[in-house]
Amino acid sequence: MPLTGGEDEAKFFLRRLIADTNAAGETFSRLIEDSRGVTAIEYGLIAALIAVAAVVVMGTVGTNLSGVFSQVASSL
C-alpha cells in the first residue's frame, strides 16, 4: 500500500508505534516473569558488597599501618 498523503503516513506511523510499544511491553513482561537471572544478580550484589567491605577494611588497615610505620621511623 503506497503512502501518498500525510494522513496515511500518520496512520502508518501510529500503527507502527503501537505495534512496537506492544512488542516492547511483551518483551518486558517476559523479562519480569523470567527468574533465571535472579541468582546471577544476587551473586553480583554479594560480590559488590564484599568488594566494598574489602576496600573499606583495606583503607582502614592502610591508615593504621602508616601510623605504625611513622612511629617506628620517629623512634629510630
Side-chain angles (χ1 to χ4, degrees):
M1 165 172 86
L3 300 175
T4 56
E7 186 175 325
D8 290 336
E9 290 176 9
K11 286 180 183 178
F12 174 78
F13 176 75
L14 288 175
R15 285 188 187 124
R16 182 63 189 216
L17 181 64
I18 291 169
D20 289 346
T21 304
N22 287 340
E26 290 173 10
T27 302
F28 186 69
S29 295
R30 277 187 269 136
L31 287 173
I32 294 290
E33 293 172 2
D34 189 7
S35 63
R36 291 180 293 177
V38 173
T39 304
I41 292 171
E42 289 172 350
Y43 283 133
L45 290 173
I46 291 169
L49 181 64
I50 290 171
V52 168
V55 167
V56 169
V57 168
M58 288 178 195
T60 305
V61 169
T63 303
N64 293 341
L65 192 58
S66 176
V68 169
F69 280 127
S70 295
Q71 288 177 353
V72 169
S74 64
S75 66
L76 292 177

